[in-house]
Amino acid sequence: MRLGLLGRRQAPRPGAFPQNRQTPNEASDDASRGRKNRASTSAFYMEQSPLTHQPRPEVFRRKIVQLYDALFKDDEDTEKSEGFWREFFLLKPDRPALHRILEDIGPDDLVHLDLQTRQLFSRAVVALRNPHGVADLYALETLSIFLIAVLAKKYTNPSSDIIEVLAGLDHVDTVFAEFVGALDSIIRNGRSLELRQKAIEVALAVTSGAYQTSLLTYFIQRDLFPSVMKFIQDTDTPARVAEPFTLIGLLANYNKFEFQNPYQMRLNDFVNEAAIQKIIRSVGYSCQTLRGQYVAVQDDLPEGWTLSSTLNMIGLGAIAPGGKPAPKPVHDADTAKKMFSELPGEEAAILLATYDFTHANKLFCFNFVTLAAEKGEEQPFAGFISLTSYLLQHAHLSQRTTLYCHLNLMVFRLLIEDPVLCKRMCSEDSKAAVRLCRQRSPHLPLVQHERVVATAVLDTMIDAINHNLRRRLDVGLYTLCVGILLRIISYMSRSRTRLQYHWADLFRSLLSLIRFLTTYAADLKGLSHIDTLLDHVVNLLAMGLSSGEAFLPTPAAYDDLFYKVVEMGEVLVKFRDTYKLANRPSNSIDTLVNVSTHYKEMLADRGAGGKTAAGGRRSGSQLTSLQVAEVIKQGYETLSIQAKEGLDSWEKYREADERTLLKKMARAAVGDVKVLVAE
């Protein structure tokens, strides 16, 4: 207040006059001198002040972007100062700007800028090893962007050029050993889950980007498995588990057929059940996400169902909305086909690690099949079956989708070949609600309640058989599907396990497959491994005829199988002759043909002996379905089924037999991870 009063000019009192009066000319001179003095004083202070007014830039550019530009100038041949790098890693990275700068530099030009790129890489490693403030977090973010861009370029000599860009041939051992060691330390003991997750992302960027180079040997020499598993144990959500588990899958598949991969050995020996269960829940969560992508293209909820009822069926009733859900867009057939061909999403790379863990670890397999759903959640194994059904209905749309189908089918084969797990899957204890794909007809009967898991697997295999019939048949996929049916049913036959199931649809699909194989034999006879498929489908039907009473729940189901085989008599004979199956000791086609011939003769006799209303004769082809069924029942007494031995036997899975496919699958998963980390 006092300052305000002192600074205020007071008005003269009325009648008072100034003591020193000036003439107008004097006042004008004083004013002029005052202006000059103020101007000179202002100039003095402007010269002395270190602060100068800078013109406002037309476009605001962040300081970190200016440092990017300064670093990647082509005319800069000197190392940056310590202060430059300290400031560089204390500023929040600008992902789009750095990506844009690196994207504009061609591979040859990037090799020419090796001094700058090596500085960036080595200084980032120093920031990881000796962090100050948030430098380690920002260094990881910078490395993620930098490595994704650098490793994505098409170099003339990929391994040597990438080494030149990152470290130089003389220093690569030291620099990369420090780099991998720093990642290992952060993943294991980083100060926060966010920081440790960033280290996982950087490891994924290198692993996917340099998968075809020698750089991955540094990740093989430095075993990251214990650190990654410790991170998984410390995670708080299933979503955080997906990336580290995917990383293990990529590393475990690196040249695993060329040398003894240490990550494969780690998978064999891992017995931490708590971590295994976290991984399985993450796999289930990922499967639900991937399935949701298919449902987003075409909502296949049956008519009369609601979102709430479906959520209740699979145990998610707690999140069911109260109001009516907004209708999803309906796409035309061509648009939907194009959208389906781009699925599954890149998150499907986690399925490669799932296969490897299933192949290597019995404890993982047991938990995968038996782990119960958490409250309000879908059972993980049910989610896996559900996703597989969606993949299989669209398998023919792309090679990538086909590869993921093969991968999941091999997981089923591994699980079913274990008698303990097969028994569990066929028991009442395994009951779960499984949402199966209904996006393409023909549809199997709808099951809206919990059921034995094995029946959901049978449905998934039948759907695959029905929806992938092509002249260029995927013999491997069909052999897997029919082989899985053969293994389940052979177990049920030996153990006399009877399941309530729509068996008529299963046998109808197998016989339709035989009809297709017969019709298009000219296109199919020369396909590789077609003989194995022929044996599987014939032997499965022969096993049904010879021992169906051991696993079919009712006599009516058994009669129906005979009815269908008799109906297919002529096709079966043509099928046998076309593929020369009578000469194959591993094939039981004679069992099918003999049954058909036996009943054909009985039906002919019955028809010849039947009187018409007008006194004429009735031919066998004019018998009603009820009369044919009656003949089939009577024919059991005179039928002798000479089934070959070993119908219920099969070869155990050998990974080496799938070597080529698994290498293709690893490359597909690597491509998906590249897209994921780039996002």
Side-chain angles (χ1 to χ4, degrees):
M1 182 64 72
R2 177 174 294 180
L3 289 174
L5 292 173
L6 289 174
R8 187 183 304 161
R9 177 176 293 178
Q10 296 183 356
R13 296 189 304 275
F17 296 94
Q19 294 180 356
N20 299 319
R21 297 188 63 185
Q22 290 180 310
T23 65
N25 289 336
E26 291 174 337
S28 177
D29 291 341
D30 287 346
S32 178
R33 283 194 297 273
R35 284 193 298 273
K36 289 179 180 179
N37 289 337
R38 286 194 298 272
S40 61
T41 301
S42 175
F44 171 78
Y45 284 114
M46 286 296 290
E47 291 172 359
Q48 296 298 316
S49 174
L51 303 176
T52 57
H53 178 71
Q54 298 291 333
R56 185 186 297 274
E58 294 183 5
V59 179
F60 176 75
R61 298 177 75 243
R62 294 178 57 194
K63 177 66 174 176
I64 188 63
V65 180
Q66 298 176 34
L67 296 183
Y68 295 157
D69 289 337
L71 176 62
F72 289 105
K73 280 184 180 177
D74 193 21
D75 56 354
E76 291 287 336
D77 291 330
T78 58
E79 291 198 8
K80 297 297 181 184
S81 66
E82 188 70 32
F84 176 91
W85 292 111
R86 182 174 289 272
E87 184 179 25
F88 190 94
F89 291 115
L90 287 178
L91 294 171
K92 184 176 178 59
D94 189 321
R95 191 180 190 95
L98 180 55
H99 179 77
R100 187 168 55 250
I101 291 170
L102 292 169
E103 191 71 19
D104 292 340
I105 303 174
D108 294 335
D109 294 331
L110 198 62
V111 174
H112 181 68
L113 291 170
D114 59 352
L115 178 63
Q116 291 92 320
T117 56
R118 290 180 196 176
Q119 285 185 71
L120 174 57
F121 187 70
S122 61
R123 287 289 184 164
V125 174
V126 171
L128 297 182
R129 291 170 60 85
N130 304 296
H132 46 88
V134 292
D136 50 357
L137 177 61
Y138 290 168
L140 287 171
E141 291 188 8
T142 303
L143 278 174
S144 176
I145 309 161
F146 174 70
L147 290 168
I148 289 167
V150 166
L151 296 174
K153 297 188 182 298
K154 306 296 183 183
Y155 298 96
T156 307
N157 304 296
S159 283
S160 58
D161 286 350
I162 290 172
I163 288 173
E164 281 298 313
V165 169
L166 296 180
L169 189 59
D170 295 335
H171 305 287
V172 64
D173 287 340
T174 303
V175 173
F176 246 81
E178 292 180 352
F179 168 61
V180 178
L183 290 182
D184 187 24
S185 177
I186 294 173
I187 293 169
R188 183 190 294 266
N189 297 315
R191 67 176 186 275
S192 68
L193 281 175
E194 180 189 12
L195 183 71
R196 297 164 72 184
Q197 189 90 39
K198 286 290 181 185
I200 294 283
E201 291 173 10
V202 172
L204 273 173
V206 180
T207 304
S208 60
Y211 203 77
Q212 302 300 325
T213 73
S214 59
L215 285 179
L216 248 64
T217 56
Y218 295 97
F219 286 89
I220 301 300
Q221 293 167 2
R222 178 74 177 238
D223 187 2
L224 297 181
F225 189 91
S227 298
V228 173
M229 285 301 171
K230 184 175 185 300
F231 173 79
I232 288 174
Q233 291 176 59
D234 296 341
T235 51
D236 48 2
T237 62
R240 283 193 187 272
V241 176
E243 284 188 346
F245 187 51
T246 301
L247 173 62
I248 291 295
L250 295 189
L251 292 173
N253 277 273
Y254 179 69
N255 287 345
K256 72 176 181 180
F257 294 107
E258 281 70 38
F259 65 88
Q260 195 170 31
N261 187 305
Y263 291 91
Q264 287 285 334
M265 298 169 62
R266 288 287 195 173
L267 291 174
N268 286 326
D269 301 334
F270 193 68
V271 292
N272 187 319
E273 196 162 12
I276 284 174
Q277 292 184 358
K278 276 194 173 184
I279 290 169
I280 290 170
R281 295 202 186 280
S282 179
V283 170
Y285 176 82
S286 298
C287 289
Q288 294 171 46
T289 302
L290 293 163
R291 179 187 63 202
Q293 296 168 0
Y294 281 96
V295 175
V297 176
Q298 179 186 336
D299 192 348
D300 59 342
L301 285 177
E303 189 176 346
W305 279 27
T306 64
L307 178 60
S308 298
S309 66
T310 306
L311 290 171
N312 284 323
M313 185 194 83
I314 62 175
L316 301 176
I319 64 171
K324 186 177 181 181
K328 292 185 178 180
V330 178
H331 304 285
D332 62 81
D334 290 338
T335 302
K337 183 177 179 180
K338 183 177 183 300
M339 295 172 74
F340 281 135
S341 68
E342 296 170 354
L343 298 177
E346 290 77 18
E347 301 88 348
I350 197 175
L351 298 174
L352 179 62
T354 306
Y355 160 79
D356 277 295
F357 226 152
T358 304
H359 177 251
N361 193 291
K362 293 294 185 184
L363 184 61
F364 180 88
C365 294
F366 179 79
N367 278 276
F368 195 26
V369 171
T370 61
L371 187 62
E374 291 184 324
K375 186 176 181 181
E377 298 290 339
E378 184 177 4
Q379 185 187 14
F381 190 51
F384 183 81
I385 299 171
S386 176
L387 172 64
T388 305
S389 76
Y390 280 83
L391 291 173
L392 286 168
Q393 282 208 9
H394 303 284
H396 62 284
L397 293 179
S398 74
Q399 178 65 16
R400 176 174 164 272
T401 308
T402 300
L403 287 172
Y404 278 117
C405 288
H406 277 266
L407 197 67
N408 280 18
L409 288 172
M410 288 190 289
V411 170
F412 282 123
R413 178 176 170 180
L414 286 163
L415 296 174
I416 289 162
E417 287 185 0
D418 186 319
V420 174
L421 297 181
C422 191
K423 179 180 179 181
R424 168 75 184 196
M425 292 168 66
C426 293
S427 73
E428 294 290 317
D429 295 335
S430 71
K431 278 192 171 182
V434 182
R435 174 175 179 169
L436 298 181
C437 182
R438 300 180 65 83
Q439 291 177 328
R440 296 178 62 211
S441 60
H443 300 303
L444 291 173
L446 177 64
V447 179
Q448 302 187 45
H449 51 76
E450 290 188 346
R451 56 172 169 165
V452 174
V453 161
T455 60
V457 176
L458 294 176
D459 269 1
T460 303
M461 299 306 110
I462 297 171
D463 260 343
I465 291 169
N466 292 340
H467 292 115
N468 292 284
L469 293 171
R470 300 286 184 277
R471 288 196 179 189
R472 296 183 62 184
L473 193 71
D474 188 338
V475 175
L477 185 138
Y478 271 79
T479 302
L480 277 167
C481 290
V482 180
I484 288 167
L485 293 175
L486 177 64
R487 285 158 175 78
I488 294 176
I489 293 174
S490 65
Y491 166 79
M492 294 173 61
S493 176
R494 288 193 305 270
S495 62
R496 306 191 72 82
T497 301
R498 293 181 174 87
L499 296 178
Q500 291 298 323
Y501 183 67
H502 32 265
W503 291 102
D505 293 284
L506 187 148
F507 295 125
R508 184 184 299 112
S509 295
L510 292 175
L511 290 165
S512 296
L513 176 58
I514 286 180
R515 187 186 297 276
F516 176 86
L517 292 169
T518 306
T519 304
Y520 299 102
D523 299 297
L524 303 173
K525 285 174 71 173
L527 295 179
S528 179
H529 303 299
I530 187 71
D531 290 340
T532 306
L533 174 60
L534 300 177
D535 289 347
H536 279 1
V537 68
V538 170
N539 292 346
L540 180 52
L541 286 166
M543 184 168 61
L545 293 173
S546 62
S547 58
E549 72 280 357
F551 64 87
L552 293 173
T554 62
Y558 196 39
D559 296 343
D560 181 72
L561 171 57
F562 277 85
Y563 186 96
K564 286 178 168 57
V565 170
V566 172
E567 198 175 33
M568 282 277 289
E570 294 181 3
V571 176
L572 290 171
V573 172
K574 186 178 179 182
F575 176 66
R576 177 195 63 188
D577 297 340
T578 301
Y579 288 97
K580 298 180 173 58
L581 297 180
N583 302 325
R584 283 180 59 81
S586 57
N587 194 285
S588 296
I589 187 63
D590 288 341
T591 302
L592 274 64
V593 173
N594 292 341
V595 167
S596 174
T597 303
H598 172 77
Y599 280 106
K600 186 176 182 181
E601 293 172 353
M602 288 188 64
L603 291 170
D605 293 341
R606 174 71 176 268
K611 295 282 186 179
T612 64
R617 313 302 274 179
R618 183 196 298 268
S619 68
S621 61
Q622 294 174 317
L623 295 175
T624 67
S625 58
L626 289 175
Q627 289 172 323
V628 173
E630 186 63 31
V631 170
I632 287 173
K633 291 179 182 179
Q634 295 172 359
Y636 291 150
E637 299 175 1
T638 56
L639 177 65
S640 175
I641 299 179
Q642 299 296 327
K644 291 187 177 180
E645 294 293 329
L647 288 179
D648 61 350
S649 63
W650 32 262
E651 292 185 5
K652 201 166 179 66
Y653 178 79
R654 291 176 65 251
E655 189 176 62
D657 296 338
E658 306 294 341
R659 175 175 178 167
T660 302
L661 185 138
L662 286 170
K663 285 189 172 184
K664 291 180 181 178
M665 186 64 255
R667 288 194 291 271
V670 166
D672 285 344
V673 173
K674 282 183 182 179
V675 176
L676 280 177
V677 295
E679 291 175 352

